[in-house]
Amino acid sequence: MTSAEGAVRARALDLLARDDALAAMMHGVFDGVPPRASAPYAMVAGAEGRDWGTKDRAGREVRLTLVLVGVGGAMEDGAAGCIERVVAAMRGTAGGWNIVGARTIRTRFGFGREGGWRHEIVVRCRCLAA
C-alpha cells in the first residue's frame, strides 16, 4: 500500500493533468518545482500527513499544497476555478486509501518580481485505509 500522502499527491496530479481547461491555460502540471518551466504552470507542492481515523479503521489527514504560478493577471481566476473543480473531485479510491473528504482550507495569493504571481491552495484530505 502507498502512503496516504503519496496516494493523495498521485490523485491530485492525475486530476490536474486531465483537466482540459487548465491545460489550455498552463504550460504544464508538475510534481514539485519544475526545473525549467516558464510561467504559467501548476504544481503539486508539499504534502503533510497526520494521524486521523475511526475506532475501527486506520486513517490519515493529508494537507496538500497546490500552486499556480503565472504572469500578468488575466488567467488566475480561471485557473483557480479549475483547481476548485479538482478539489471537489478528489474523493474516491487512491493507492490503497479511500479519500473520504476533501476541501480547501486556506488560500494565499501574492505578487512576485517582474509581474509574476503565485496562488497557493491548501487542501485537506481525510483518508481511510481501504
Side-chain angles (χ1 to χ4, degrees), residues 33-54:
V33 179
R36 290 189 206 160
S38 60
Y41 62 85
M43 70 175 175
V44 176
E48 176 185 318
R50 60 183 61 134
D51 246 359
W52 180 86
T54 64

Side-chain angles (χ1 to χ4, degrees), residues 16-17 19-26 29 42 68 78-79 82-83 85-86:
L16 288 168
D19 190 298
D20 293 334
L22 185 64
M25 291 182 253
M26 299 282 152
V29 174
L68 299 168
C82 292
I83 297 293
R85 280 197 312 275
V86 165

Side-chain angles (χ1 to χ4, degrees), residues 13-108:
L13 280 166
D14 179 55
L15 291 170
L16 288 168
R18 289 191 289 135
D19 190 298
D20 293 334
L22 185 64
M25 291 182 253
M26 299 282 152
H27 290 154
V29 174
F30 301 95
D31 187 7
V33 179
R36 290 189 206 160
S38 60
Y41 62 85
M43 70 175 175
V44 176
E48 176 185 318
R50 60 183 61 134
D51 246 359
W52 180 86
T54 64
K55 288 183 179 182
D56 61 343
R57 290 179 72 188
R60 300 283 291 166
E61 179 180 281
V62 178
R63 293 187 182 207
L64 182 71
T65 303
L66 306 174
V67 180
L68 299 168
V69 177
V71 291
M75 173 176 349
E76 192 275 324
D77 290 336
C82 292
I83 297 293
E84 290 300 322
R85 280 197 312 275
V86 165
V87 170
M90 286 289 293
R91 294 178 69 155
T93 303
W97 293 87
N98 291 321
I99 301 172
V100 296
R103 72 174 246 211
T104 301
I105 59 170
R106 183 173 57 99
T107 62
R108 179 182 300 168

